[in-house]
Amino acid sequence: MITTDHTQIANAQIDWDEHGNPHSRVFSDVYFSTQSGLDETRHVFLTQNELPKRFAALPAGGRLVIGETGFGTGLNFLCAWQLFNASAVADARLHFVSVEKYPLSRADLERALNLWPELKVLADQLLGRYVAVHQGFQRLVFDGGRVTLTLLIGDALDMLPQLDGQIDAWFLDGFAPAKNPEMWTPELFAELARLAAPGSTIGTFTSTGWVRRALNAAGFKMKRVPGIGHKWEVLKGRFIAWPEDVPTPPRAKPWFARPSSLPRLLPRSPDTPRTALVIGAGLAGCATAASLAARGWHVSLLERHGDLAQEASGNPQGVLYLKLSAHGTALSQLILSGFGHTRRLLERLQRGIDWDDCGVLQLAFDDKEQARQAQLAEAFPDDLLHVLDRADAESRAGIVLKSGGLFYPQGGWVHPPALCRDQASASNIKLLTHNDAIELRRDGPLWQAWDGERLLASAPVVVLAGAAEIKRFPASADLPLKRIRGQITRLAATPDSQALKTVVCAEGYVAPARGDEHTLGASFAFNSDDLTPSTAEHLGNLELLREISEDLTERLNANGLPAEDLQGRAAFRCTSPDYLPIVGPLADRAAFLETYAVLRKDARKTPDTECPWLDGLYVNSGHGSRGLITAPLSGELIAAWLDNEPLPLPRSVAEACHPNRFALRGLIRGK
Ligand SMILES: Cc1cc2nc3c(=O)[nH]c(=O)nc-3n(C[C@H](O)[C@H](O)[C@H](O)COP(=O)(O)OP(=O)(O)OC[C@H]3O[C@@H](n4cnc5c(N)ncnc54)[C@H](O)[C@@H]3O)c2cc1C
Ligand SMILES: C[S@@+](CC[C@H](N)C(=O)[O-])C[C@H]1O[C@@H](n2cnc3c(N)ncnc32)[C@H](O)[C@@H]1O
């Protein structure tokens, strides 16, 4: 089991001075120079990293990645973004990765950013996305993908080693070394060096001798340069090379490494845009198309039905429910990062129609569930989840309940087709309906999708996002995906059912009305290939409703409903054996087994042979019962693999989702 340090992250504790400037109570230091905040940021971080020149020199489609230690109020981020907007060509991209152990509360962030009227337009965008920022990797997307912020919420020394990416310019901005020594250690500097892209630069406000020497020892070449305001001198530097006397850090195993073939497959000139086919227009396909389109790709989104979101992603309401673990498993980390990402995407949709952040109440329906909930409440902060006793749960939910439970105030319901539509709406995504890709053929550097005798589309990159249907293609036929039929029941809202104020879950779930209907879900029918709605499963759903609340059942007049009048829909969930989605590049299975056959005898071996990738073929599938939470971030993960960007998840979580994990496990188990 993959775990991570799981100490609860606390918000920054801030005192405000008489001029309204933020000070850290814990570190007794200022967040920025109160005398010359903007000038200092620009001088220390933008100028010393030569960003005016570097942003201006970015070619069309180019990208620069900034890394920062200490996100704080986001002032540096906003200044970099402002300069980027002013200097870079329209289709360049800025990727900003910043680590922060004590994120500001939203209210404090707003108060701090109010100090800078000239940054207001950007600050408002940051504030608009600053929701559900919990521990772990949190991705925030701005300006249609032109600017990406990846916040690593946790201790710098825990988080940076999990980052897979290359940083072009570093902003070192912990509190003063004497007050915040753990942000200035040789171990941390080694991480900066590990992550440094060739020619990476670095700027910091301190000129302390031991910091300079330790950075030099890590492989940077630092020099003192004139400072600004009350700073006499500051440091700038450049990454030269990993020090010869220090063992090089371990690289990703070849079966999880980034495919090296991609750059040569892809044109980079603005006249020949990069093109991709995404097969399947549910949550996974639409998210993949959105993430690629945001990076300038031209995407053909192939869907066999007459519209998007006709299968699992077609339910009227799905729940943003976080099945977390108190032990920080890979799945739990993915859920926390995915939830934050989806939650922020939803901010631009219409509340009440497309989604609602009404909260989700998970009832403590038996002793085991109660114990699990108590453990979770210990492990996670209150603004993510907290226990409610029965009386409080009833007042939250607005109905009579048998027990209290765990309340997720930022959760709610989503109309999945609305999210799909929003994700597929970019002008460089072409939705091709009634396109059933039956066969994939290789034609030189291109993949072709064929429907019998008809060539549907071709491109150097294909992402298979057709849930369990991807098993029809020989290249992905061996992925262990299973279909599990599920059915929801639609119940007409009544005047009395309007009292329901939150989603309530026990074994099933019921959501507050969307329009004049509640969604009640959902059955699990293993080994069923039929999608005709069944009366037996409707009756099963009504039983789930009674377990949630007899009171609500009565309010919905659901006891006396004639079974044959019940309406709903059925679809297949698509699950993998370890419940993690399958996201990433595909290898040729037979060649993989041959290349790494030595692992059958010795699982510790790492042959130095590149993985036999199926160049340009990727998968985004296996989202089980939680696609609303995992599919959108998986789109970002695919795009990060394809664009050689920092991954939006810890390396270990990306590996836990990697398509090669199954073939690898098979080899190691001697199969
Ligand atoms: C009853 C039920 C209740 C659920 N409740 C929730 C919930 O409350 N919360 C939650 O987060 N998740 C829930 N889920 C799970 C969620 O719906 C799925 O995880 C998610 O929709 C999966 O999205 P997808 O894009 O992978 O698959 P799908 O939505 O199934 O999309 C796959 C698409 O690919 C197309 N396709 C496949 N093969 C081809 C091909 N060869 N050529 C062209 N097109 C192709 C299909 O037509 C389909 O449109 C529920 C699922 C079910 C069934
Ligand atoms: C000087 S402030 C950063 C100011 C910030 N760059 C800005 O633009 O507002 C230093 C930041 O480092 C964070 N920090 C301190 N120790 C840390 C650690 N061990 N890991 C991660 N972040 C830490 C603090 O919480 C604080 O937000």
Side-chain angles (χ1 to χ4, degrees), residues 280 283-284 303-305 311-313 319 435 437 472 509 624-625 627-628:
L283 283 165
E303 170 53 53
R304 59 183 169 182
H305 295 294
E311 301 211 357
S313 309
V319 179
N435 272 241
R472 66 164 68 163
Y509 59 82
S625 306
L628 281 168

Side-chain angles (χ1 to χ4, degrees), residues 253 255 598-599 601-607:
K253 307 276 188 204
W255 42 84
V598 65
L599 294 175
K601 296 199 197 100
D602 184 351
R604 288 160 308 178
K605 280 258 164 26
T606 304

